[in-house]
Amino acid sequence: MKFKVPKYIALLIKNIIAAILSLAFILFIVFKYNDGYNWVYNNLPKNFRIIMKHKNLEDSEKLRAKLGHSYSYLEFIKSMTPENAVILFPSKDALFPKDKKSEMKKDMYNKLWILRFLYPRKIVMVEEIGQIPLSEHITHIAIANGKGYEYLDYTPPMKPDMFVFPVISPFN
Amino acid sequence: MLISALILFILGLSVIRFFFPNITNLEKVGLSFIIGVFVSTLEMLIIDLIGLPLTKISVILPQLFMVILLSILINNREKKGAISHDIFNVKKLKNYFSLQYIFSNFNLIWFTFIIAIIIIEVMNFAKCIYFPTFDRDSLAGFDTIGYIAAQEHTYKNLSIFNGDYIPAINGAGSYITYAPMVQLSYAYTYLLGAASSKIIPAMFFLSFIISFYATIKRVSGKTAAAIITFFVTITPEMIAFSSLSATNVIHSVYASLGVIYIALWFNKKKYSDLILGSLLLGANMWTRTDGIVFIGAAMVIVIIDAIRTKKYKYFISFLVLSFTPALFWVIFQKITGIFAESIAITHLFYDEVKLMKVLIYILDLVTHPQYYGWTFLIFGIAIISNIYYLIKKADNLDVLSMIIMSMVAYMIIIYQIDYKWDTIENVLMFSAKRFFFCFVPLIWFYFATNKITILLFNKIDSCLMNTVSKS
């Protein structure tokens, strides 16, 4: 097999020029003159650096970073209740009080969304009381922003703003 | 997490190698996971329908059996010398390093764009699998349904599908009647013990990039394939959503590749392309029911060909393969009593205000550079630059027709929806931008496979590559 070296050198030079032009096109035209492509160019590397920096984070820590207070609250309820618990979930007014800025995600009032984190526990929403059979079997009451104590048949010694209490008093 | 992806890949590869031995190796690699998920989720719903629990054993055993059976059949076929499956041909390997081979097959434009795609996809893949599912639609639907299905070992009898427990589950727009592919694929990963289902969207986008590149390479060559794939990969809204668990990007993978394979069949008349395209379009409706617009658009092309050639075999194959998954889902819902209040307005009507609203919002979306980059600009350029060949030789008319027909049909669907659960403005402003992902690869494919673009890239290739010695 004979090679005409100059031919390949010429091809190589043309290729190098083409590669430089391609790279310039990507960096100085594509990623510069379109807002969307620019967003990709800036954000992907930024996210990647953050991922590399925090690569050892647990899933729960990542979810806390993404979902904030909502996730912490659901994790707390999960840790305080057995798997077979039927939990009365706080009302919309309790989660999002009008007089105070809520740190909860608005999805906190979506039953399926909540269940992703509380399953296999079962959830009853306040407006479902008397409407669904499960509301007869509530075992726990979740408290948010100090609201929900009216569903307890006993007065707990302390009334924290965020908590979950069993329906049957544990203080007897 | 990786084990589920590996099993789905092997399952898909076995199916592809057996039924589509003549597609390129790159297409086989790209399509394996995509087909694996499709086959696996179909199998899961059959298992559920016949009353068996969805467990690791009940799902994996038939797959294992299928892989072994197909491997034996492929081996027998290879022994008879019917078809050679040389994914890695050692004899060819030494030629790959010769100067002649390198300059006949590669150039540095191709290399630059491939490296750019790899860098972008590595970062995107890492982002996808790093975060557990957190997007609203998935937590309020797809991922939660999959997670609970894996815990309760059923789909039809899910506790969350019970109206006595979730009163809104049969309401308008409920996730209960959404086609089951994505939910079941997530259930599959959870069944195999994964803590997160994010490997599914991550692998889908990666597989899509490979498959899309491979299909364009078949028509327009490597350089065009690399550049066009780069632009599809960096489509801003699409790449952002590719790392989330919603259905839209996964749907666009099936829908766009399905239409592309039908276009490949239309031009070269390779029966395997038609079968593959029909299967992918079947999977597209197995993922989202609005995918019917792509089946409809492709069907027009297949019917025209059937009438022209008086060969109805192709049309029947297309019809059976593309509609069977959706039909199965409808039958499954009827048998198991899964239903939701309909959101479709089934009679035709004229509401000028609604129509104008739909058109204005969509026009605003497609011209918004932040969402689709240069995609729709390229669409205009592609039509204008190829107008001569389009008029004189009907060049790429099939692809253009399928894009336009499915786009119009999609707008009709948006118009015919009764927005009971949200306002039309909210849907058009926040959700509709995701509906158009399917068109992004199709538009770039149209551009890449136009006569004028092929001529342009042939010029570039002949300038940069040793095309004389190219066999």
Side-chain angles (χ1 to χ4, degrees):
Chain A
M1 208 159 40
K2 271 186 176 179
F3 292 118
K4 287 182 178 175
V5 179
K7 180 185 168 186
Y8 286 108
I9 288 174
L11 275 176
L12 186 65
I13 291 167
K14 277 193 223 171
N15 268 279
I16 291 169
I17 294 166
I20 293 167
L21 290 174
S22 303
L23 199 62
F25 173 67
I26 293 171
L27 294 175
F28 303 118
I29 295 178
V30 178
F31 287 140
K32 200 174 173 187
Y33 288 104
N34 181 282
D35 291 348
Y37 295 144
N38 186 261
W39 176 86
V40 175
Y41 178 69
N42 287 319
N43 276 275
L44 269 183
K46 198 166 81 186
N47 283 329
F48 191 67
R49 279 193 294 273
I50 294 170
I51 289 167
M52 287 297 118
K53 196 176 164 190
H54 303 284
K55 59 184 172 197
N56 295 324
L57 279 188
E58 294 287 326
D59 275 358
S60 57
E61 291 171 292
K62 294 172 197 168
L63 281 171
R64 211 166 292 138
K66 284 284 178 191
L67 305 174
H69 195 57
S70 303
Y71 181 74
S72 305
Y73 180 66
L74 293 173
E75 273 293 279
F76 173 73
I77 293 178
K78 194 176 177 178
S79 68
M80 296 291 286
T81 51
E83 287 196 349
N84 61 354
V86 178
I87 303 162
L88 179 67
F89 207 72
S91 66
K92 210 171 197 169
D93 289 344
L95 288 165
F96 309 101
K98 283 177 185 134
D99 54 341
K100 182 168 146 187
K101 193 173 176 275
S102 177
E103 289 173 27
M104 299 283 190
K105 292 252 173 207
K106 68 174 168 51
D107 302 303
M108 280 291 272
Y109 214 65
N110 183 313
K111 203 164 168 179
L112 283 182
W113 196 93
I114 303 162
L115 270 173
R116 178 61 184 86
F117 303 106
L118 293 182
Y119 187 86
R121 291 149 195 82
K122 292 202 183 298
I123 305 290
V124 176
M125 310 306 271
V126 167
E127 67 272 22
E128 290 171 358
I129 295 174
Q131 303 293 316
I132 63 169
L134 204 63
S135 64
E136 305 292 321
H137 307 283
I138 291 167
T139 61
H140 290 75
I141 311 287
I143 307 292
N145 294 307
K147 289 180 183 167
Y149 285 102
E150 63 273 26
Y151 299 106
L152 282 175
D153 289 335
Y154 60 92
T155 309
M158 284 186 296
K159 286 189 170 180
D161 262 10
M162 300 288 186
F163 211 74
V164 59
F165 286 100
V167 166
I168 298 164
S169 171
F171 305 108
N172 293 332
Chain B
M1 188 153 72
L2 286 172
I3 190 79
S4 48
L6 189 67
I7 298 172
L8 290 169
F9 181 84
I10 293 169
L11 176 69
L13 186 62
S14 305
V15 173
I16 294 271
R17 287 186 70 203
F18 182 73
F19 290 104
F20 309 102
N22 294 321
I23 60 172
T24 64
N25 291 332
L26 205 58
E27 285 171 274
K28 283 177 189 156
V29 171
L31 291 168
S32 290
F33 179 80
I34 293 170
I35 294 291
V37 174
F38 177 43
V39 173
S40 181
T41 51
L42 272 171
E43 177 221 350
M44 286 169 81
L45 212 67
I46 293 169
I47 290 172
D48 192 43
L49 187 64
I50 58 177
L52 289 172
L54 290 172
T55 63
K56 209 183 289 185
I57 303 286
S58 71
V59 173
I60 299 289
L61 264 184
Q63 295 183 352
L64 196 66
F65 177 74
M66 197 171 170
V67 169
I68 293 169
L69 180 73
L70 289 176
S71 300
I72 292 168
L73 291 172
I74 292 164
N75 261 341
N76 284 346
R77 192 166 60 187
E78 281 181 353
K79 269 182 198 163
K80 284 179 192 166
I83 292 147
S84 153
H85 295 274
D86 52 345
I87 282 189
F88 300 107
N89 190 332
V90 183
K91 283 178 194 169
K92 279 185 183 173
L93 210 61
K94 62 176 182 184
N95 291 335
Y96 292 163
F97 297 102
S98 71
L99 212 54
Q100 189 179 6
Y101 180 85
I102 292 168
F103 276 104
S104 301
N105 288 280
F106 303 101
N107 64 64
L108 287 181
I109 293 184
W110 170 86
F111 183 76
T112 309
F113 279 93
I114 289 291
I115 293 295
I117 294 168
I118 291 170
I119 292 170
I120 287 164
E121 179 49 13
V122 164
M123 290 190 287
N124 191 51
F125 194 93
K127 180 186 159 198
C128 185
I129 55 168
Y130 178 77
F131 288 107
T133 307
F134 67 88
D135 63 291
R136 192 253 164 209
D137 282 358
S138 309
L139 289 178
F142 315 112
D143 188 71
T144 301
I145 293 171
Y147 177 74
I148 297 178
Q151 311 298 316
E152 297 182 353
H153 306 295
T154 181
Y155 197 80
K156 62 181 177 189
N157 293 323
L158 276 178
S159 60
I160 51 170
F161 285 176
N162 183 350
D164 277 347
Y165 179 33
I166 313 271
I169 203 70
N170 303 114
S174 165
Y175 290 99
I176 191 171
T177 50
Y178 273 43
M181 209 289 299
V182 173
Q183 298 89 307
L184 285 170
S185 68
Y186 294 161
Y188 186 90
T189 62
Y190 289 124
L191 267 180
L192 266 69
S196 158
S197 59
K198 291 294 286 292
I199 192 72
I200 298 286
M203 283 296 293
F204 253 100
F205 199 63
L206 174 64
S207 301
F208 167 69
I209 291 173
I210 299 168
S211 314
F212 184 73
Y213 170 83
T215 53
I216 294 198
K217 184 172 159 260
R218 258 171 70 172
V219 187
S220 313
K222 273 180 181 160
T223 314
I227 295 173
I228 301 301
T229 307
F230 169 77
F231 277 104
V232 173
T233 306
I234 61 164
T235 304
E237 197 66 12
M238 194 157 155
I239 196 169
F241 266 85
S242 72
S243 60
L244 302 179
S245 301
T247 53
N248 306 85
V249 174
I250 295 175
H251 175 232
S252 74
V253 170
Y254 282 129
S256 61
L257 287 175
V259 171
I260 286 170
Y261 272 100
I262 294 297
L264 291 174
W265 162 78
F266 191 75
N267 289 304
K268 298 279 177 194
K269 292 292 181 294
K270 269 173 76 184
Y271 189 48
S272 62
D273 286 339
L274 177 86
I275 299 297
L276 197 45
S278 310
L279 267 180
L280 289 163
L281 284 173
N284 127 77
M285 218 171 146
W286 185 239
T287 312
R288 282 180 70 95
T289 38
D290 45 1
I292 193 165
V293 299
F294 299 99
I295 297 181
M299 192 157 68
V300 172
I301 299 297
V302 182
I303 289 173
I304 289 170
D305 182 80
I307 294 168
R308 216 165 49 186
T309 59
K310 307 240 181 303
K311 285 179 187 166
Y312 294 95
K313 177 181 97 170
Y314 296 141
F315 175 60
I316 293 164
S317 308
F318 172 83
L319 213 59
V320 171
L321 289 170
S322 59
F323 277 109
T324 301
L327 198 64
F328 175 44
W329 175 233
V330 171
I331 293 167
F332 181 89
Q333 289 179 90
K334 287 274 173 216
I335 293 173
T336 57
I338 287 178
F339 72 97
E341 198 186 329
S342 175
I343 54 167
I345 302 169
T346 47
H347 62 274
L348 289 174
F349 66 101
Y350 181 68
D351 178 344
E352 197 183 336
V353 177
K354 190 177 181 184
L355 184 65
M356 287 315 288
K357 212 174 270 179
V358 170
L359 291 175
I360 289 167
Y361 270 97
I362 286 174
L363 190 68
D364 193 42
L365 279 179
V366 298
T367 52
H368 198 301
Q370 191 95 33
Y371 296 152
Y372 310 106
W374 291 341
T375 304
F376 287 91
L377 175 71
I378 281 292
F379 192 35
I381 291 173
I383 294 171
I384 294 165
S385 63
N386 202 48
I387 199 87
Y388 173 78
Y389 292 103
L390 182 67
I391 294 167
K392 287 276 175 193
K393 297 182 177 176
D395 177 55
N396 237 354
L397 186 60
D398 51 322
V399 182
L400 184 63
S401 313
M402 284 192 280
I403 293 172
I404 291 172
M405 280 188 289
S406 48
M407 216 178 253
V408 171
Y410 222 120
M411 286 187 215
I412 293 171
I413 285 188
I414 293 172
Y415 173 74
Q416 287 288 126
I417 285 176
D418 188 1
Y419 296 88
K420 297 173 186 174
W421 77 101
D422 206 346
T423 63
I424 185 171
E425 289 82 3
N426 274 352
V427 172
L428 287 169
M429 198 180 288
F430 301 112
S431 306
K433 58 189 176 189
R434 291 178 261 154
F435 301 162
F436 288 87
F437 289 164
C438 303
F439 298 105
V440 172
L442 290 178
I443 286 171
W444 284 101
F445 179 81
Y446 172 68
F447 174 65
T449 54
N450 267 349
K451 179 92 179 158
I452 202 84
T453 316
I454 294 174
L455 286 174
L456 176 74
F457 278 103
N458 279 348
K459 281 264 178 220
I460 294 172
D461 283 347
S462 63
C463 178
L464 298 176
M465 288 157 74
N466 187 19
T467 46
V468 181
S469 53
K470 201 175 172 182
S471 57

